[in-house]
Amino acid sequence: QVQLVESGGGLVQPGGSLRLSCSTSGIFFRLSDMGWYRQAPGKQRELVAVITSGGNTNYTDSVKGRFTISRDNAKTTVYLQMNSLKPEDTAVYYCNNHRSPRPWGQGTQVTVSS
């Protein structure tokens, strides 16, 4: 059974930082390209960052230089370090297998507000 469990969200002031975690089970994590996605109210879900099975990374332009995606294969967990947060980063954040998406988890809410 596939499980994707996101955590680490919260309320943070502009300029602050958060570290999101996504614990996975039921997928071949070590062989999977993993992505972080987000969905803001009234908007479609968008891809934020990807890390390949080999450790290569890619980011959407709006988060380049501020967000860092990483993975721990031993823990089958993917992380998203978010720095210099902006109000427009407010969204529910999800992780998933980038090339073979599975049922979505519950996500973790990130709210950037003063």
Side-chain angles (χ1 to χ4, degrees):
Q1 182 180 359
V2 176
Q3 279 196 313
L4 305 170
V5 181
E6 300 90 351
S7 62
L11 173 63
V12 63
Q13 292 186 342
S17 298
L18 285 173
R19 188 192 193 208
L20 306 184
S21 299
C22 174
S23 176
T24 75
S25 60
I27 64 173
F28 292 106
F29 185 86
R30 187 179 298 273
L31 300 179
S32 298
D33 296 349
M34 296 297 297
W36 277 100
Y37 303 76
R38 66 186 179 188
Q39 187 167 20
K43 295 187 177 181
Q44 289 190 332
R45 188 175 289 152
E46 66 168 341
L47 177 64
V48 174
V50 174
I51 184 165
T52 68
S53 58
N56 294 318
T57 60
N58 201 6
Y59 302 89
T60 191
D61 286 346
S62 63
V63 308
K64 283 181 180 177
R66 300 188 297 121
F67 290 10
T68 302
I69 188 172
S70 61
R71 64 192 295 157
D72 185 332
N73 288 339
K75 296 182 178 179
T76 64
T77 298
V78 60
Y79 304 97
L80 187 67
Q81 177 67 44
M82 305 187 296
N83 298 329
S84 302
L85 282 161
K86 303 176 180 180
E88 51 263 44
D89 296 318
T90 295
V92 180
Y93 284 71
Y94 304 86
C95 72
N96 212 324
N97 183 317
H98 178 55
R99 295 190 182 277
S100 181
R102 305 307 174 93
W104 296 93
Q106 83 287 349
T108 187
Q109 175 70 50
V110 172
T111 303
V112 185
S113 175
S114 55

